[in-house]
């Protein structure tokens, strides 16, 4: 097809799509025959066929053998309406599945996510990511036809090794690093390798809720270690480790989710001493580490990848759909993790890994992080101020990051149920505890500062 023909196809398809979206062509309407449409539009029949095929591919038109082409039913409106109703229905008990399912719903004008874990797209740098995607696409061509390496794109591992070494973590690109589909995938691989049914696993309380479900699926016995501003309760960590002989301790030391606190140097050294004495692995979740202003203590640096396994990634700071992460692990552990990754999904998509590598090597990432961090810091201060005006208390101000852990003074799960019919998604504290105990705490995203409707709705819900 010539370039001019392609343009005519696009123009005809787009014109019909607009008429369908505007209800000018209603569901069930038969489109003009190919011959008639070609005459009316002044184009060839081949152009009409290609345009109709594009509309079929977009789900706007249906082809019926021997009858022609018909406008399809507006399933998108039905699905959106049902999705809105599903979110509005307050569940009898809010659980992790309900929260995550609603976080991943397509956004609508009536949906407001007060506790979501993503920064808004306009806070990020989509142009930088898009440019990297285009550049990679132009440079590789047929190289995407192969599986790629199960251990991950080698140049990206080399770049990661250089950055980790600069932070004092002795990571070799071949002996210590494997790429993953984000941090969640990395933690899943680590748990699959280390945890057997009946094993005890220590987690922080509060902590990132998804890991509780993954560990339970592996048959682990989960015990929470209370988390304070400087780190976990060390006396309780020692007691639980002596009593239950855990296989591992999963900790989010830097820019902790959901509190925004960062581990102190003294606590970090004590954690490693307890781990050595009680013989358990330490898994360091570094999901939000880039939001720290610098100088945070890394357990993997202190331990030098002896009994600490580090999981990090780029989805939070580049694009949620860019599922690129990594694990830095001791050499004997790494080979097992690579095997598990290969058996579970062969390789991770090399396209995303090449995109991240290009952003890193071109030096754009550091400046991007500085800009995002500055905006997040300003928004966090504003969020704390507005929550305080509504009557929330913040026991310990967050040191960094995109979350505020606030006390509403009542059962936060009940408050989340009241908010749901108004389209407001709240993340109650009970979900962040492995014991699922009743809590008055809520996790708020600082992105709320740009969403006036959330504050209006939250004030109305609090008055109920």
């Amino acid at each position: 097809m010539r370039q001019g023909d392609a343009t005519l196809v696009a123009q005809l398809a787009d014109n019909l799509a607009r008429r369908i979206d505007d209800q000018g062509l209603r569901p069930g309407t038969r489109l003009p025959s190919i011959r008639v449409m070609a005459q009316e539009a002044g184009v060839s029949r081949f152009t009409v066929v290609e345009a109709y095929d594009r509309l079929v591919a977009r789900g706007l038109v249906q082809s019926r053998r021997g009858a022609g082409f018909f406008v399809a039913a507006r399933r998108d409106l039905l699905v959106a309406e049902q999705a809105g109703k599903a979110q509005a229905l307050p569940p009898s008990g809010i659980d992790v599945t309900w929260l995550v399912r609603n976080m991943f719903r397509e956004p609508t004008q009536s949906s407001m996510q007060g506790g979501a874990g993503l920064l808004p797209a306009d806070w990020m740098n989509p142009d930088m990511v898009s440019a990297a995607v285009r550049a990679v696409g132009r440079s590789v061509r047929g190289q995407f036809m192969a599986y790629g390496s199960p251990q991950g794109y080698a140049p990206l591992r080399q770049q990661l090794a250089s950055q980790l070494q600069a932070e004092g973590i002795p990571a070799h690109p071949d002996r210590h690093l494997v790429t993953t589909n984000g941090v969640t995938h990395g933690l899943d691989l680590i748990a699959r390798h280390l945890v057997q049914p009946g094993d005890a696993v220590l987690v922080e309380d509060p902590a990132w809720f998804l890991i509780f479900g993954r560990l339970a699926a592996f048959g682990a016995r989960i015990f929470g270690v209370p988390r304070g501003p400087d780190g976990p309760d060390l006396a309780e960590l020692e007691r639980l480790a002596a009593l239950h002989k855990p296989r591992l301790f999963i900790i989010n030391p830097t820019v902790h989710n959901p509190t925004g606190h960062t581990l102190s140097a003294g606590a970090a050294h004590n954690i490693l001493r307890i781990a050595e004495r009680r013989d358990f692995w330490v898994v360091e979740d570094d999901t939000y580490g880039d939001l720290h202003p610098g100088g945070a203590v890394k357990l993997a640096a202190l331990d030098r990848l002896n009994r600490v396994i580090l999981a990090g990634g780029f989805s939070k700071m580049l694009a949620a759909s860019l599922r690129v992460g990594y694990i830095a692990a001791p050499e004997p552990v790494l080979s097992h993790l690579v095997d598990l990754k290969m058996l579970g999904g062969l390789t991770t998509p090399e396209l995303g890994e090449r995109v991240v590598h290009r952003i890193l090597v071109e030096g754009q990432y550091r400046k991007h992080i500085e800009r995002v961090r500055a905006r997040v810091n300003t928004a966090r201060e504003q969020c704390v101020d507005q929550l305080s005006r509504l009557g929330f208390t913040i026991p310990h101000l967050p040191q960094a990051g995109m979350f505020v852990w606030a006390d509403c003074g009542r059962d936060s799960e009940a408050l989340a149920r009241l908010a749901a019919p108004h389209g407001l998604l709240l993340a109650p504290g009970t979900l962040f505890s492995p014991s699922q105990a009743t809590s008055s705490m809520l996790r708020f995203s600082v992105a709320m500062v740009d969403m006036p409707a959330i504050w209006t709705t939250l004030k109305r819900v609090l008055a109920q």
Side-chain angles (χ1 to χ4, degrees):
M1 179 183 294
R2 296 190 304 273
Q3 181 63 36
D5 295 332
T7 302
L8 290 174
V9 169
Q11 290 176 351
L12 180 58
D14 290 344
N15 179 57
L16 290 170
R18 281 193 295 270
R19 294 173 62 189
I20 293 172
D21 287 339
D22 295 339
Q23 298 289 293
L25 292 171
R26 302 187 65 81
T29 301
R30 184 179 184 275
L31 296 181
S33 69
I34 294 172
R35 180 180 59 80
V36 171
M37 177 58 77
Q39 292 174 346
E40 291 179 353
V43 297
S44 71
R45 296 185 183 185
F46 295 108
T47 298
V48 176
V49 170
E50 181 69 18
Y52 280 7
D53 284 344
R54 290 191 183 187
L55 294 172
V56 171
R58 291 162 65 176
L60 297 176
V61 168
Q62 293 176 333
S63 173
R64 300 178 188 174
R65 184 183 294 271
F69 293 85
F70 295 80
V71 177
R74 295 298 304 276
R75 295 183 179 272
D76 56 331
L77 297 179
L78 179 62
V79 169
E81 181 181 351
Q82 291 175 341
K85 290 181 178 178
Q87 176 169 314
L89 292 175
S92 57
I94 290 178
D95 58 15
V96 170
T97 303
W98 180 86
L99 179 63
V100 175
R101 184 169 59 242
N102 281 283
M103 285 171 60
F104 278 86
R105 289 191 189 281
E106 289 294 326
T108 65
Q109 289 185 344
S110 61
S111 65
M112 298 172 286
Q113 297 196 354
L118 292 176
L119 293 174
D122 59 355
W123 290 25
M124 310 297 276
N125 192 341
D127 291 339
M128 177 184 69
V129 177
S130 297
V133 170
R134 290 193 297 271
V136 168
R138 289 192 300 266
S139 64
V140 295
R141 297 185 180 276
Q143 296 177 47
F144 286 142
M145 306 307 290
Y147 279 116
S149 168
Q151 196 168 342
Y153 183 50
L156 175 60
R157 285 188 283 113
Q158 180 65 59
Q159 184 68 22
L160 290 172
S162 297
Q163 294 187 1
L164 292 174
Q165 289 166 17
E167 297 176 357
I169 301 171
H172 187 279
D174 298 324
R175 297 198 297 268
H176 300 118
L177 286 170
V178 59
T179 60
T180 62
N181 282 315
V183 176
T184 304
H185 180 219
L187 295 175
D188 186 80
L189 288 175
I190 294 167
R192 285 181 183 276
H193 172 53
L194 294 179
V195 178
Q196 299 295 322
D199 283 348
V201 176
L202 303 183
V203 297
E204 297 177 287
D205 189 355
W208 183 50
F209 44 75
L210 277 186
I211 195 63
F212 305 151
R214 297 306 301 142
L215 292 171
F218 297 141
R221 296 178 295 123
I222 308 169
F223 300 95
V225 182
R227 169 79 187 229
D230 296 327
D233 183 327
L234 295 171
E236 186 65 2
L237 176 63
E238 178 76 65
R239 187 188 73 82
L240 290 172
L243 181 62
H244 298 292
K245 298 178 173 53
R247 181 67 170 151
L248 67 154
F249 175 37
I250 302 176
I251 179 172
N252 178 201
T254 307
V255 191
H256 176 253
N257 176 13
T259 67
H261 299 141
T262 293
L263 191 68
S264 68
H269 284 284
N270 283 322
I271 289 169
L272 294 178
R273 279 196 285 267
I274 295 171
E276 181 71 28
R277 185 162 55 248
R278 299 300 178 183
D279 191 26
F280 58 81
W281 291 94
V282 177
V283 178
E284 182 173 10
D285 174 0
D286 197 36
T287 300
Y288 298 96
D290 282 332
L291 288 173
H292 193 274
V297 176
K298 292 288 184 70
L299 290 166
L302 294 177
D303 173 78
R304 300 190 64 79
L305 292 182
N306 179 30
R307 63 171 60 248
V308 172
I309 303 173
L310 174 69
F314 300 92
S315 299
K316 296 295 184 184
M317 301 307 296
L318 288 178
S321 60
L322 199 59
R323 307 299 301 164
V324 178
Y326 62 90
I327 300 172
E331 190 171 358
V333 173
L334 187 81
S335 61
H336 294 288
L337 296 176
V338 174
D339 288 344
L340 281 174
K341 173 186 172 182
M342 183 172 57
L343 292 172
L346 297 180
T347 65
T348 41
E350 192 172 291
L351 173 60
E353 294 178 2
R354 284 177 177 264
V355 169
V356 170
H357 171 256
R358 189 174 191 91
I359 292 172
L360 294 179
V361 298
E362 290 184 348
Q364 304 175 72
Y365 189 68
R366 181 181 58 80
K367 293 180 180 179
H368 164 67
I369 291 300
E370 291 175 353
R371 288 192 296 268
V372 173
R373 188 189 300 136
R375 183 158 191 178
V376 167
N377 290 344
T378 300
R380 189 175 61 253
E381 294 177 2
Q382 296 172 346
C383 189
V384 167
D385 182 59
Q386 294 193 58
L387 286 171
S388 299
R389 292 181 183 180
L390 288 178
F392 289 88
T393 58
I394 294 90
H396 302 282
L397 289 175
Q399 300 160 358
M402 57 184 287
F403 299 123
V404 177
W405 187 236
D407 191 335
C408 67
R410 57 202 276 195
D411 183 350
S412 58
E413 183 181 345
L415 186 65
R417 287 200 301 271
L418 289 174
H422 298 275
L424 176 57
L425 182 67
L426 298 179
T430 183
L431 301 184
F432 296 85
S433 172
S435 66
Q436 304 290 283
T438 300
S439 172
S440 60
M441 306 300 293
L442 284 158
R443 187 189 77 174
F444 290 99
S445 168
V446 302
M448 290 169 53
V449 299
D450 286 348
M451 305 173 191
I454 287 186
W455 298 103
T456 302
T457 304
L458 182 57
K459 184 177 181 179
R460 186 184 311 129
V461 171
L462 288 169
Q464 291 184 235

